[in-house]
Amino acid sequence: MNLLNSDDFWQFACTLYAKPGQQHTLLALQNQQGKNVNLCLFLLYLDSLKLSIKYEQLSVLIDSVNELDTQALKPLRATRKYLKANQHTINDYAKIREELLSAELKLEKQQQQILIDTANKFTFLEAVKPNNIQQYVKAT
């Protein structure tokens, strides 16, 4: 069994996120539909490997990242948004923003590791043209 590699996933995610339009699309899924960007990236990563997941596996992946998302990432994003809106009254705003972004990036990488660790317990189906992301976007 070939285990998924967190460094390969990180590189895939960074490359995809940097492509024109991808950041906007992924953030729209996050902000308008409440979807997890790292999970979206992971599902696209699985697509690139021609691996398909079952709905039950998707549910396990969602559950695996939910706590970190709820308890750490969402509050951190809300803090950054608040500070940005009030930056004119905050001393050292640029430095604080930079440090918050650094912390958020480290948490994002941790969340990706959780996805890898969880998925490495799965047995995947091989597929010529998997579309894992569509399954997630349609999920409530």
Side-chain angles (χ1 to χ4, degrees), residues 21 65 74 77 80:
V65 294
K74 286 180 182 177
R77 287 185 200 115
R80 278 196 310 105

Side-chain angles (χ1 to χ4, degrees), residues 53-82:
I53 64 168
K54 300 173 189 169
Y55 181 79
E56 296 78 21
Q57 292 170 322
L58 175 59
S59 183
V60 171
L61 288 171
I62 292 168
D63 289 346
S64 75
V65 294
N66 190 45
E67 185 175 8
L68 182 63
D69 211 32
T70 303
Q71 298 299 320
L73 283 164
K74 286 180 182 177
L76 186 55
R77 287 185 200 115
T79 300
R80 278 196 310 105
K81 185 177 179 179
Y82 168 81

Side-chain angles (χ1 to χ4, degrees), residues 10-63:
W10 179 255
Q11 289 305 313
F12 173 87
C14 290
T15 301
L16 183 68
Y17 198 79
K19 288 185 178 180
Q22 289 297 323
Q23 181 179 2
H24 175 76
T25 299
L26 290 164
L27 290 177
L29 285 170
Q30 174 184 279
N31 297 332
Q32 295 166 13
Q33 295 185 29
K35 301 300 180 185
N36 180 291
V37 170
N38 275 320
L39 185 50
C40 290
L41 289 166
F42 185 68
L43 295 171
L44 292 166
Y45 176 62
L46 292 178
D47 286 352
S48 76
L49 297 173
K50 300 196 180 319
L51 298 174
S52 182
I53 64 168
K54 300 173 189 169
Y55 181 79
E56 296 78 21
Q57 292 170 322
L58 175 59
S59 183
V60 171
L61 288 171
I62 292 168
D63 289 346

Side-chain angles (χ1 to χ4, degrees), residues 78-88 90 93 97:
T79 300
R80 278 196 310 105
K81 185 177 179 179
Y82 168 81
L83 293 175
K84 183 177 182 179
N86 295 286
Q87 63 184 291
H88 60 281
I90 298 171
Y93 167 74
R97 179 181 184 275

